[in-house]
Amino acid sequence: MKIAFSSVPPRFAAVMLLSAMLGGCTLAPSAGEKEARTRLAQAGDTLRPAAQRPLLPELRSDSPLAEYVRFAVLNHPQVLGAYHDWRASVSRIAPTRALPDPQFTFEADVTSTLMTFMPGLMFDIMTPGKRRAMGREMTAASDVEYRAFVAVALRTAAEARKAWIDLAYVDEAIRLREASIGSLEQSLEIASADYTTGRGMGTLANQVSIQNNTAKVRTDLATLSDRRTAVRVRFKSALGLTPADPDPAWPLAALVPSVVAGEDELWRRASAANPELARMRAMVEMAIASIEVARKARTPDFTVGGMADLKADPLMVRPTATVTLPIWREKIAANIAAAEARRDASAARVTAELINLSAELAQMLYMVREADRMIAYIDETALPNFEQAIATIEAGYQSGMTSPSMIPETQLMALDMRLERVAAMREREIAATELLLLTASATPDEVPVVAESTLSQR
């Protein structure tokens, strides 16, 4: 619909134009938008203070694991990329609640000469309710990006933890394998001396067996050395360092069991703060907001403006106005139904994620408990028995009742058991890291980028 007046008093036209300009003012930011901007500023102060790279921790070989994790979160480009995606989504909120740009118009009547010359200005007016609904939808979309950013930061922290655990495992396994070679060489010396002198129990078969075992352990040691090279490359990558960057200080630390909360507490934390679950819940909120936007399509939009004929004397002003007619109810109903379907789908995905989360939590907790039982068996039964056996063999050797070759052989079995303990500790800590990721606790408290987010989710 278009309304036009060929000639009206200039004062009336000025009032219409002023009303249009006042109607074009941007709506004030909502509480959700203000909260999103506050969160963004807090994360920006940590990740990009004054638009510069943050001050990274100075890593040393004795630095705690938390310092390496903090370094990774602050330095890794994928965290920065997710932050900028979130920043872009927050920046898109303001345009959705603002009116479209004014339009400059021009009209002229020309016969043999220029008869009329009428420039003008037009304003598209969308109702405040519709713009608020669109602003809420974009605010909800920015919250989805925020949860995605948190998930990326947590995954980065978890990957740094896992790489640190693997590196500590490989270092300890290499140390134990080197000690095993020492025990095997000692056994070979004793077996050779017994075989040469004929005074002991050593045979040629014993020597061949020891040599074979030594060769196998040396092969294992070479494999572990290659594995350490690969793990170091992975560890460097987890810290956000490129191949061209200098190597970090490689950590020199032993694996120790981390504290794992009880099953009920883990479920409470996971159901409240799991990053993927939080992102899906934010998608539900975005779908709900999109329903409101679809319903607001029933409200008409307006265009008002005016043109002035600069050739006329006296001056002629032509105000114009248009209004949309949302009469296609079937189209509006279909858009609303589609938005409601997206909401229902998002809600179903939340339920599915809760089910998957429960299964993952149970699996990781089982792996922790299985490793704990193995470690307890080795510490409380296997290793004490080996120590007792070694003491008994040494006493028997002094009395001439046992062969000295049995001492290094038993020591070798004890070293193999310690290697199993390190492997079990690695599996435990990997599972414990997954639990930290599921409960949004993978980052240390010193990383405010995620610490604030987890608190807000709980």
Side-chain angles (χ1 to χ4, degrees):
M1 180 185 294
K2 183 175 182 179
I3 304 171
F5 304 91
S6 298
S7 181
V8 297
R11 183 176 298 176
F12 179 72
V15 171
M16 290 189 64
L17 286 175
L18 181 61
S19 299
M21 293 176 66
L22 291 176
C25 293
T26 304
L27 294 173
S30 64
E33 182 180 350
K34 291 179 181 178
E35 181 182 359
R37 293 187 180 280
T38 299
R39 281 179 176 173
L40 183 65
Q42 291 174 347
D45 289 342
T46 302
L47 287 176
R48 279 296 179 267
Q52 302 295 324
R53 287 176 58 86
L55 182 63
L56 299 175
E58 184 178 350
L59 300 179
R60 302 184 306 273
S61 59
D62 60 346
S63 294
L65 172 58
E67 283 296 283
Y68 283 96
V69 173
R70 181 167 177 262
F71 185 100
V73 173
L74 295 179
N75 186 65
H76 209 291
Q78 67 182 2
V79 176
L80 186 61
Y83 163 75
H84 286 309
D85 285 340
W86 171 35
R87 185 167 66 92
S89 68
V90 173
S91 299
R92 287 194 293 267
I93 299 175
T96 58
R97 56 179 171 80
L99 288 176
D101 295 333
Q103 302 176 48
F104 177 77
T105 63
F106 169 78
E107 184 177 319
D109 293 330
V110 182
T111 54
S112 58
T113 61
L114 180 64
M115 305 297 294
T116 61
F117 180 74
M118 291 184 294
L121 196 62
M122 303 294 292
F123 292 88
D124 293 326
I125 299 178
M126 189 181 296
T127 60
K130 184 178 291 188
R131 284 184 284 147
R132 288 193 186 94
M134 294 171 64
R136 282 192 289 269
E137 182 183 28
M138 187 51 64
T139 301
S142 73
D143 192 50
V144 173
E145 292 294 333
Y146 165 63
R147 303 300 174 181
F149 159 72
V150 171
V152 169
L154 288 169
R155 283 197 299 270
T156 301
E159 285 303 313
R161 283 178 176 270
K162 291 178 183 178
W164 187 94
I165 291 167
D166 278 342
L167 194 55
Y169 161 75
V170 171
D171 287 342
E172 181 65 13
I174 288 175
R175 187 188 67 81
L176 290 173
R177 277 309 187 197
E178 288 174 345
S180 297
I181 290 178
S183 295
L184 285 167
E185 289 176 344
Q186 184 181 3
S187 296
L188 182 60
E189 291 176 1
I190 295 174
S192 298
D194 286 349
Y195 179 75
T196 301
T197 61
R199 291 179 299 177
M201 304 177 186
T203 64
L204 183 60
N206 288 339
Q207 296 179 59
V208 172
S209 175
I210 293 172
Q211 290 172 347
N212 288 338
N213 288 335
T214 303
K216 181 180 181 303
V217 172
R218 290 190 185 278
T219 301
D220 292 342
L221 188 58
T223 301
L224 285 170
S225 297
D226 289 340
R227 181 173 178 178
R228 177 162 63 182
T229 300
V231 170
R232 283 184 171 180
V233 172
R234 178 190 167 201
F235 183 69
K236 186 176 179 180
S237 174
L239 294 179
L241 299 173
T242 67
D245 291 328
D247 291 339
W250 304 118
L252 298 176
L255 288 176
V256 294
S258 57
V259 178
V260 175
E263 186 173 359
D264 292 340
E265 177 63 16
L266 286 172
W267 175 248
R268 185 192 69 80
R269 294 179 186 176
S271 58
N274 178 263
E276 187 61 26
L277 186 61
R279 188 181 68 85
M280 291 185 176
R281 285 170 174 162
M283 293 180 68
V284 172
E285 296 301 320
M286 184 177 68
I288 293 173
S290 68
I291 294 175
E292 185 180 1
V293 172
R295 288 173 178 168
K296 290 295 182 180
R298 300 166 178 163
T299 306
D301 297 327
F302 303 89
T303 301
V304 296
M307 296 181 289
D309 186 356
L310 302 182
K311 294 283 290 182
D313 187 16
L315 180 68
M316 184 190 75
V317 176
R318 178 181 292 173
T320 61
T322 64
V323 58
T324 61
L325 298 177
I327 60 175
W328 309 119
R329 299 300 179 184
E330 183 180 2
K331 180 182 73 172
I332 296 173
N335 288 334
I336 294 174
E340 290 175 343
R342 288 193 295 269
R343 175 203 59 196
D344 295 340
S346 298
R349 291 190 185 97
V350 170
T351 303
E353 183 62 24
L354 277 170
I355 295 173
N356 293 336
L357 182 60
S358 175
E360 288 183 46
L361 201 69
Q363 178 66 20
M364 294 302 109
L365 198 56
Y366 156 74
M367 293 177 66
V368 169
R369 289 171 176 171
E370 180 185 38
D372 282 340
R373 283 190 288 269
M374 175 59 70
I375 293 170
Y377 157 72
I378 294 173
D379 288 345
E380 299 171 8
T381 303
L383 289 179
N385 286 344
F386 278 120
E387 291 175 359
Q388 185 177 1
I390 291 172
T392 302
I393 293 170
E394 289 176 346
Y397 171 67
Q398 293 176 358
S399 61
M401 299 178 61
T402 59
S403 170
S405 62
M406 296 180 64
I407 298 175
E409 290 175 2
T410 308
Q411 290 174 340
L412 179 61
M413 289 187 288
L415 288 171
D416 288 341
M417 188 60 66
R418 290 185 185 277
L419 188 60
E420 288 189 29
R421 184 188 187 281
V422 173
M425 183 65 73
R426 174 189 174 275
E427 295 300 321
R428 182 196 189 278
E429 290 308 296
I430 293 293
T433 299
E434 288 294 335
L435 288 175
L436 292 175
L437 180 59
L438 293 175
T439 57
S441 306
T443 60
D445 295 336
E446 295 80 7
V447 183
V449 171
V450 180
E452 184 275 333
S453 67
T454 54
L455 289 175
S456 67
Q457 290 176 39
R458 294 178 190 178

